[in-house]
Amino acid sequence: MCPDCEDFARTVLLLGQLALYADTSGADLDFVDVVSPSLVASLPEPPTGEES
């Protein structure tokens, strides 16, 4: 897997895990509110050929 592909996939995975965490009982929604914009900002451009 190319380096950009790996970074993109890892960041998308983290965003998905954060979304699942946000839906759990007792989740720290302040943590979600702080971390999610940082993850989105760090999301690299989609790998070439993977854009929709």
Side-chain angles (χ1 to χ4, degrees):
M1 186 180 282
C2 67
D4 290 339
C5 297
E6 188 176 332
D7 289 344
F8 184 80
R10 183 182 310 117
T11 305
V12 169
L13 177 66
L14 288 170
L15 284 166
Q17 290 175 332
L18 186 63
L20 289 173
Y21 170 71
D23 286 337
T24 62
S25 177
D28 182 350
L29 297 180
D30 288 335
F31 172 79
V32 174
D33 288 342
V34 169
V35 172
S36 57
S38 299
L39 280 175
V40 171
S42 71
L43 189 64
E45 290 295 320
T48 305
E50 299 294 324
E51 296 181 42
S52 41

